[in-house]
Amino acid sequence: KAGVTQTPRYLIKTRGQQVTLSCSPISGHRSVSWYQQTPGQGLQFLFEYFSETQRNKGNFPGRFSGRQFSNSRSEMNVSTLELGDSALYLCASSSYGTENEKLFFGSGTQLSVL
Amino acid sequence: AQKVTQAQTEISVVEKEDVTLDCVYETRDTTYYLFWYKQPPSGELVFLIRRNSFDEQNEISGRYSWNFQKSTSSFNFTITASQVVDSAVYFCALSEGDSGYSTLTFGKGTMLLVSP
């Protein structure tokens, strides 16, 4: 079974631009979560989607948004990029609501904002 | 508000030593879940264990063991006879009952370096 796939692996943007990151969950998983990892703040929850609906949202500004498609693939978008948005963005999928529910993470997208 | 504290930023040991990673949590919920994840240099977080607040039984899985004590709000992780492949960053995490297993509050992580 293929794992969680995130693309691209690395991204360089400049301040003010916007960026879209993509995540393909494990086949059969309908829940996708996004996390931001920085050296200063550590791992922070961004949002979770289940069956195309946002189920939970973390404490991030509205510049951070996401969506999930009918095939469970998910994208997150960051508009008007700031230097502080430089981070590793991790996507995770899970079989929400099942006995063995747990998060499976991808390798992340490393975003650098210059 | 929920919080997870991993006081040890970095631990260095020599192969075959035992090592314990500490985790202290704060929550007002009576139903919550505790997790440990491992992050190797490749970046993806690997699930190690989940424990719910009603199950204080300690768990052993091979060289790994976990000690959950509600009285001290701690969920410590011990690696017995450490190996070089155990070198990674280890995260303790917490989720509260109504937010499910996907909305995790992570500690800052403990980097474990095991040298030969």
Side-chain angles (χ1 to χ4, degrees):
Chain A
K1 219 174 188 181
V4 177
T5 304
Q6 290 188 247
T7 56
R9 187 72 177 93
Y10 300 94
L11 209 46
I12 299 175
K13 293 284 186 180
T14 56
R15 273 183 301 174
Q17 286 187 311
Q18 75 158 16
V19 66
T20 299
L21 312 182
S22 180
C23 173
S24 294
I26 289 173
S27 177
H29 285 187
R30 293 164 61 195
S31 171
V32 173
S33 304
W34 288 89
Y35 285 80
Q36 181 197 65
Q37 185 175 22
T38 60
Q41 298 299 314
L43 278 154
Q44 296 185 89
F45 171 74
L46 280 156
F47 26 66
E48 180 200 0
Y49 286 86
F50 176 74
S51 292
E52 302 178 67
T53 301
Q54 188 178 86
R55 196 171 156 262
N56 285 303
K57 187 177 190 307
N59 190 24
F60 277 81
R63 300 185 298 107
F64 291 81
S65 63
R67 59 177 175 168
Q68 187 180 33
F69 302 95
S70 58
N71 61 358
S72 295
R73 192 177 68 84
S74 176
E75 288 181 347
M76 68 162 279
N77 184 277
V78 188
S79 62
T80 319
L81 284 165
E82 300 177 359
L83 295 179
D85 297 333
S86 294
L88 179 66
Y89 290 88
L90 291 163
C91 168
S93 72
S94 74
S95 51
Y96 170 64
T98 65
E99 178 77 20
N100 293 317
E101 181 185 351
K102 61 188 180 188
L103 290 179
F104 291 85
F105 282 84
S107 297
T109 293
Q110 183 68 55
L111 172 65
S112 298
V113 182
L114 307 177
Chain B
Q2 53 191 4
K3 185 179 176 183
V4 176
T5 302
Q6 294 179 256
Q8 305 147 309
T9 306
E10 186 173 320
I11 300 176
S12 292
V13 299
V14 177
E15 211 170 16
K16 295 187 182 149
E17 280 186 38
D18 297 348
V19 58
T20 295
L21 310 182
D22 297 333
C23 172
V24 173
Y25 63 91
E26 294 175 31
T27 178
R28 283 189 253 180
D29 271 20
T30 53
T31 302
Y32 53 89
Y33 305 91
L34 295 164
F35 304 78
W36 276 95
Y37 279 86
K38 173 182 179 180
Q39 187 176 39
S42 54
E44 81 281 8
L45 286 145
V46 178
F47 171 88
L48 295 176
I49 189 172
R50 179 183 76 214
R51 175 65 76 222
N52 74 52
S53 53
F54 300 108
D55 181 5
E56 280 193 81
Q57 241 183 342
N58 292 329
E59 176 144 346
I60 298 174
S61 176
R63 296 184 297 107
Y64 295 171
S65 63
W66 290 270
N67 180 258
F68 176 27
Q69 291 197 329
K70 284 176 80 168
S71 59
T72 56
S73 297
S74 65
F75 186 43
N76 296 337
F77 172 32
T78 297
I79 302 175
T80 303
S82 59
Q83 299 176 1
V84 172
V85 293
D86 295 328
S87 296
V89 181
Y90 291 86
F91 291 93
C92 180
L94 165 74
S95 72
E96 291 175 334
D98 56 359
S99 61
Y101 302 148
S102 297
T103 309
L104 304 182
T105 296
F106 283 89
K108 290 292 177 74
T110 297
M111 179 179 287
L112 174 64
L113 297 168
V114 183
S115 53

